[in-house]
């Protein structure tokens, strides 16, 4: 799993690609935890190259969102989410937990 | 509605049932996905329905590996599919611990974020994205999960004028 992080003035952008499933969710979790352990709670997940997200991946994002939003100190937002992935999240009624931006630039600009 | 009822779909077989076995390990989830995406395309499902099938099978296979086979990295998942007139039927079989879907609580989604509990989401997603799913267990055959995804009717059939 290839993960890159880019630090901006007010947030960090994490980008990964391919599938996020039960096999690599722990690695994905560790990468996000590294960011929040550094005291950064404004995070953009760039999903432009993510083509599949299983529930294991959503739980990583939910736990990260809990950490970020704790004490109103920040937020995890999603950018460039594939339509089918958005639909699956919408079907289970979990779209309300994440702000979704069309592209990384507007996501970064939201902070 | 002229299409088959779901109960009829489950008993329906074509001549084209295809199967593949996968060792029950998380690193094989991608191979299982590739197999099933190919199947969904063969059945003529659109992108959104193909994603739904991929998600349901991935969640089911993950549950088999982590719960039925208890994360032991042992055991086999037999994945089969049947292209039917109305859609695709998918069957997953394993020889692990009997799975009782009643024992998995439905996740409570309409709660504040901090109260969300990480349990049952996979099964919930499977039920939401597929048209029907059925679990069976027999001591001889183990767990059998049968799922059906209906193909969207093509628009020109319903359009008038």
């Amino acid at each position: 799993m290839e993960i890159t992080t880019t630090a901006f003035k007010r947030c960090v952008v994490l980008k990964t690609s391919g599938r996020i499933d039960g096999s690599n969710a722990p690695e994905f979790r560790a990468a996000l935890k590294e960011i929040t352990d550094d005291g950064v709670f404004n995070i953009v997940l760039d999903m432009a190259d993510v083509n599949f997200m299983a529930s294991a991946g959503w739980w990583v994002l939910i736990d990260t969102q809990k950490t970020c939003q704790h004490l109103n100190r920040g937020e995890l937002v999603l950018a460039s989410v594939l339509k089918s992935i958005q639909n699956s999240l919408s079907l289970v009624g979990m779209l309300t937990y994440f702000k979704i931006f069309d592209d990384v630039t507007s996501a970064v600009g939201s902070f | 509605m002229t299409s088959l009822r779901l109960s009829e779909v489950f008993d329906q077989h074509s001549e084209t049932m295809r199967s593949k076995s996968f060792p029950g390990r998380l690193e094989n989830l991608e191979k299982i996905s590739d197999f099933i995406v190919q199947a969904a395309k063969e059945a003529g499902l659109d992108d959104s329905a193909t994603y739904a099938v991929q998600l349901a099978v991935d969640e089911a296979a993950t549950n088999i590996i982590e719960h039925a086979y208890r994360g032991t990295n042992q055991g086999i998942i037999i994945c089969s599919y049947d292209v039917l007139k109305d859609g695709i039927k998918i069957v997953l079989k394993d020889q692990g611990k009997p799975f009782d879907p009643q024992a998995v609580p439905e996740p409570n989604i309409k709660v504040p974020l901090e109260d969300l509990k990480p349990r049952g989401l996979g099964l919930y997603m499977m039920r939401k994205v597929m048209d029907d799913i059925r679990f069976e267990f027999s001591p001889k055959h183990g767990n059998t999960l049968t799922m059906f995804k209906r193909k969207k009717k093509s628009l020109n059939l319903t359009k008038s004028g």
Side-chain angles (χ1 to χ4, degrees):
Chain A
M1 182 180 217
E2 203 175 299
I3 296 174
T4 56
T5 57
T6 313
F8 287 81
K9 201 172 176 185
R10 297 179 57 83
C11 66
V12 164
V13 175
L14 185 145
K15 187 176 169 73
T16 185
S17 57
R19 294 166 48 87
I20 301 171
D21 63 18
S23 72
N24 56 15
E27 202 183 328
F28 183 50
R29 182 181 293 277
L32 283 158
K33 189 171 181 297
E34 206 173 303
I35 298 172
T36 54
D37 281 355
D38 273 349
V40 175
F41 303 106
N42 285 341
I43 304 174
V44 175
L45 177 65
D46 180 356
M47 292 178 63
D49 297 329
V50 173
N51 54 33
F52 182 79
M53 175 85 89
S55 64
W58 288 119
W59 280 115
V60 172
L61 295 185
I62 286 163
D63 288 341
T64 306
Q65 186 69 298
K66 286 181 185 177
T67 305
C68 290
Q69 289 187 349
H70 184 63
L71 303 172
N72 275 329
R73 59 193 176 184
E75 186 171 7
L76 164 70
V77 302
L78 315 179
S80 311
V81 187
L82 197 73
K83 199 80 202 147
S84 341
I85 295 183
Q86 271 193 54
N87 287 346
S88 71
L89 197 60
S90 162
L91 262 178
V92 296
M94 280 180 23
L95 215 49
T96 50
Y97 297 112
F98 302 98
K99 273 187 202 147
I100 296 183
F101 292 89
D102 288 344
D103 53 73
V104 175
T105 312
S106 44
V108 170
S110 75
F111 288 113
Chain B
M1 195 144 166
T2 53
S3 50
L4 289 167
R5 295 214 328 264
L6 288 171
S7 56
E8 293 171 300
V9 166
F10 279 120
D11 299 324
Q12 201 188 357
H13 295 281
S14 73
E15 299 297 313
T16 59
M17 190 91 177
R18 297 216 175 92
S19 292
K20 200 166 175 178
S21 298
F22 299 90
R25 290 197 285 269
L26 291 173
E27 66 258 32
N28 286 325
L29 288 173
E30 186 167 1
K31 285 181 193 148
I32 296 173
S33 256
D34 290 347
F35 176 69
I36 225 64
V37 165
Q38 185 54 43
K41 287 194 162 55
E42 194 183 310
L45 268 58
D46 65 15
D47 286 353
S48 149
T50 299
Y51 187 87
V53 166
Q54 186 187 4
L55 182 62
V57 168
D58 189 90
E59 298 295 342
T62 303
N63 282 344
I64 291 171
I65 295 163
E66 292 184 337
H67 302 298
Y69 291 136
R70 302 167 200 251
T72 54
N73 278 346
Q74 284 172 358
I76 293 289
I77 300 171
I78 301 171
C79 188
S80 316
Y81 69 92
D82 204 352
V83 174
L84 304 175
K85 191 170 126 283
D86 287 354
I88 188 168
K89 180 167 86 168
I90 293 161
V91 182
L92 295 184
K93 288 176 188 277
D94 69 77
Q95 294 288 336
K97 190 176 72 161
F99 177 65
D100 175 13
Q102 309 291 341
V104 182
E106 193 168 290
N108 192 355
I109 301 292
K110 292 183 180 102
V111 294
L113 180 77
E114 59 269 26
D115 297 330
L116 266 185
K117 297 278 188 309
R119 178 123 162 83
L121 181 63
L123 181 60
Y124 184 63
M125 281 182 153
M126 286 161 61
R127 291 195 195 282
K128 283 282 184 186
V129 302
M130 297 301 276
D131 287 302
D132 205 5
I133 71 176
R134 183 190 289 181
F135 291 95
E136 288 159 292
F137 173 79
S138 79
K140 192 178 168 202
H141 297 107
N143 291 305
T144 302
L145 163 63
T146 309
M147 303 191 275
F148 177 70
K149 183 70 183 172
R150 199 181 287 283
K151 191 160 58 174
K152 274 204 195 99
K153 289 187 182 63
S154 75
L155 286 171
N156 56 9
L157 292 178
T158 51
K159 222 173 176 177
S160 61

